[in-house]
Amino acid sequence: MTGTARARLGAAAGLAVLAVLLWRLGTGAFMDGLRAVDGRTLLAACAAGVLRVVVHHRDLLALPAPRSAEAAT
């Protein structure tokens, strides 16, 4: 499976999960969940996402490898 197809499949699966949750729980529970998210929680989620990109996609960002990885090669 190509990277593009995998990304599209992942996005479609995520939308399908949200659609099923909205269908089974209704929009009230979904909106209550969105209202429960405060600024600090949103900031923590964004920081976790940025950290994941930096750690797992280091080659795409052209960042140097950690010293332990250089010693192993």
Side-chain angles (χ1 to χ4, degrees):
M1 181 181 302
T2 66
T4 303
R6 185 175 180 187
R8 288 184 179 164
L9 182 62
L15 288 174
V17 167
L18 285 176
V20 169
L21 284 173
L22 284 172
W23 170 55
R24 298 296 294 167
L25 298 175
T27 57
F30 185 74
M31 293 306 294
D32 288 343
L34 285 179
R35 285 186 200 104
V37 176
D38 61 348
R40 198 160 74 179
T41 304
L42 187 59
L43 182 63
C46 288
V50 168
L51 182 64
R52 182 193 180 278
V53 168
V54 169
V55 170
H56 293 288
H57 298 289
R58 185 181 326 268
D59 55 333
L60 297 175
L61 297 172
L63 296 174
R67 292 182 191 182
S68 60
E70 290 174 0
T73 57

